[in-house]
Amino acid sequence: MRPFEGIRIIDITHVLAGPFAAYQLALLGAEVIKVEPPDEPDQSRDSGPDLALNRAGMGSYFLTQGSNKRAITLDLKQRAGQEVLKKLVAGADVLVENFRPGAFEALGLGWEALSAINPRLIYCSMSAFGQNGPRGVQTAYDHVIQATSGIMAATGTPEVNPIKYGAPAIDYATGTMGAFALSAALFQRERTGRGQRIDLAMLDVALMMQASHVTAYLASGKAAKPSGNKHPQATNSAYPTKDGMVMLGASNLRQQKRLWAALGRPELAKANNEERLAARGAEEAVLNEIMLTRTADEWEAYLQSQHVPAARVRRMEEALADPHLAARGVVHRFEGGAPGVPQAFGVPVAAFTLAHGGPRVDSPPPMVGEHTDAVLGELGYSAAEIAALRAGKVV
């Protein structure tokens, strides 16, 4: 049995962060019903490098977090649509939404209204800046939050900055934090019997992702500066080699001692970190010269054999081809494709395993509204009533 079997989640989210949060719980057994407007489905369905998939409403951005979900269409701007949602909420455990703060309240679907229907409901609102505060009414995406939070200013090199991350890391960090918050609220409800309101902001998550930098600035007044592939410690930085680049991770004093011994320069080992900081320039010059004597692959193999963290800098396709990932089950592959997706594809699963009842992909990402009739039927709507809702463009 997986941890969230028997938990029903109403997922009224779009793009990346919100859907990813619901997806993580779906992997752990939760029943997730994805709700999309009939005339404007989740924009991630039209996002990704494969234009044919985008046109089919199955863009790779959507595929990433669509598995294990059922999908229905519902126009929440119409009263009939709102009534359908209220019936769903009455039997649900969680509702997740990531629209502009105040939007659901304006429709009569806010926390207070829906918790009155179901006092055990956990209502999670995910937004750019949170439900209150001076920026609460503003909107943003991952890259806008990167700009707002200081992450961009600390990324890049001293010569080329600010730089945004190459991946929408804040979106996925927000989704992961959302799954954590939902898990905490569900656990709390087991003890209290009461539902909960979760207010999750992308900006707050971006600051958590910089936690050590935040503390360093608040304690010393020194803000993080872009340093590229260099670390304050020379033995903890990246270097060009005979073929490719290697990232050294000799971080603590024991590791740096092992590194210098492995390189035949044991006299360069330092007794404390202040000595390492003071000697950074001299150590970098030595490492630049030594690292050019072998390829990055050779250095990785050799240094790892000496218990020194090190890795060749790889491209995405190389990382995904590593048999270690297959052994870990990090990616689930749909070898025969899926409805709306003719080619084989794979999706990330979760970043952990459990001894039993762990995360698992059971079903492929759904087409727009694929399960509308089934879900409405489960709510007690007759075929004639469902037809009337379709005629009114409610679903």
Side-chain angles (χ1 to χ4, degrees), residues 64-76:
T64 302
Q65 62 248 337
S67 299
N68 289 14
K69 298 182 182 182
R70 295 200 288 171
I72 71 172
T73 53
L74 193 59
D75 186 351
L76 296 178

Side-chain angles (χ1 to χ4, degrees), residues 89-103:
V89 164
D93 298 281
V94 172
L95 182 145
V96 188
E97 59 90 11
N98 66 342
F99 289 80
R100 176 179 49 80

Side-chain angles (χ1 to χ4, degrees), residues 138-220:
Q138 297 181 4
T139 56
Y141 287 95
D142 178 289
H143 47 289
V144 178
I145 295 297
Q146 288 193 39
T148 309
S149 65
I151 282 183
M152 280 183 65
T155 305
T157 68
E159 298 77 24
V160 183
N161 71 88
I163 297 289
K164 77 175 185 67
Y165 286 172
I170 293 174
D171 271 328
Y172 293 121
T174 301
T176 304
M177 188 69 77
F180 172 49
L182 289 167
S183 300
L186 285 165
F187 183 73
Q188 182 190 51
R189 192 185 68 177
E190 289 301 303
R191 294 179 164 187
T192 67
R194 296 173 56 195
Q196 178 68 272
R197 174 75 186 276
I198 299 171
D199 175 4
L200 177 61
M202 292 174 69
L203 178 61
D204 298 355
V205 173
L207 291 175
M208 295 304 106
M209 292 175 68
Q210 304 174 87
S212 59
H213 287 178
V214 169
T215 303
Y217 173 73
L218 294 176
S220 68

Side-chain angles (χ1 to χ4, degrees), residues 1-352:
M1 181 176 181
R2 285 179 285 178
F4 296 114
E5 288 183 18
I7 296 295
R8 171 174 276 195
I9 298 174
I10 311 303
D11 173 10
I12 319 180
T13 64
H14 56 289
V15 198
L16 302 183
F20 193 74
Y23 171 59
Q24 290 295 295
L25 270 63
L27 293 170
L28 290 166
E31 176 197 4
V32 176
I33 299 174
K34 182 175 179 62
V35 179
E36 301 172 80
D39 58 347
E40 192 178 355
D42 186 341
Q43 73 180 69
S44 70
R45 288 183 177 274
D46 187 28
S47 300
D50 189 318
L51 297 183
L53 290 179
N54 295 348
R55 296 187 193 109
M58 299 295 282
S60 57
Y61 279 40
F62 170 74
L63 298 181
T64 302
Q65 62 248 337
S67 299
N68 289 14
K69 298 182 182 182
R70 295 200 288 171
I72 71 172
T73 53
L74 193 59
D75 186 351
L76 296 178
K77 295 179 181 178
Q78 296 193 49
R79 183 172 296 278
Q82 295 165 9
E83 291 305 312
V84 173
L85 180 64
K86 289 176 180 178
K87 288 187 177 183
L88 271 173
V89 164
D93 298 281
V94 172
L95 182 145
V96 188
E97 59 90 11
N98 66 342
F99 289 80
R100 176 179 49 80
F104 271 48
E105 283 76 7
L107 295 173
L109 302 174
W111 155 246
E112 291 187 2
L114 296 189
S115 63
I117 296 171
N118 181 356
R120 288 175 55 83
L121 181 70
I122 293 166
Y123 190 114
C124 178
S125 294
M126 304 173 69
S127 61
F129 298 101
Q131 300 299 304
N132 53 27
R135 287 186 178 270
V137 297
Q138 297 181 4
T139 56
Y141 287 95
D142 178 289
H143 47 289
V144 178
I145 295 297
Q146 288 193 39
T148 309
S149 65
I151 282 183
M152 280 183 65
T155 305
T157 68
E159 298 77 24
V160 183
N161 71 88
I163 297 289
K164 77 175 185 67
Y165 286 172
I170 293 174
D171 271 328
Y172 293 121
T174 301
T176 304
M177 188 69 77
F180 172 49
L182 289 167
S183 300
L186 285 165
F187 183 73
Q188 182 190 51
R189 192 185 68 177
E190 289 301 303
R191 294 179 164 187
T192 67
R194 296 173 56 195
Q196 178 68 272
R197 174 75 186 276
I198 299 171
D199 175 4
L200 177 61
M202 292 174 69
L203 178 61
D204 298 355
V205 173
L207 291 175
M208 295 304 106
M209 292 175 68
Q210 304 174 87
S212 59
H213 287 178
V214 169
T215 303
Y217 173 73
L218 294 176
S220 68
K222 295 180 180 179
K225 296 181 180 179
S227 57
N229 297 322
K230 296 182 178 182
H231 185 273
Q233 298 163 348
T235 61
N236 221 14
S237 302
Y239 295 91
T241 71
K242 186 182 291 186
D243 179 16
M245 179 169 278
V246 66
M247 177 63 79
L248 303 181
S251 181
N252 62 44
L253 290 171
R254 295 186 307 278
Q255 290 163 342
Q256 63 94 35
K257 183 177 181 180
R258 287 199 294 269
L259 172 64
W260 289 121
L263 298 181
R265 299 296 302 272
E267 75 280 4
L268 293 181
K270 305 300 186 295
N272 58 63
N273 284 325
E274 287 192 20
E275 289 182 8
R276 298 171 73 191
L277 294 176
R280 193 204 186 286
E283 289 187 0
E284 181 181 58
V286 173
L287 288 168
N288 269 323
E289 182 177 345
I290 294 176
M291 291 297 112
L292 289 173
T293 62
R294 301 188 188 189
T295 68
D297 280 322
E298 290 169 341
W299 279 123
E300 177 178 329
Y302 173 63
L303 292 174
Q304 288 286 354
S305 75
Q306 302 301 305
H307 305 292
V308 176
R312 175 170 62 84
V313 177
R314 289 165 168 78
R315 299 186 302 276
M316 170 70 75
E317 58 268 31
E318 295 177 290
L320 289 175
D322 190 329
H324 180 77
L325 291 183
R328 294 285 300 166
V330 176
V331 172
H332 177 88
R333 299 191 181 278
F334 293 92
E335 299 296 351
V341 187
Q343 69 266 44
F345 67 100
V347 297
V349 184
F352 61 90

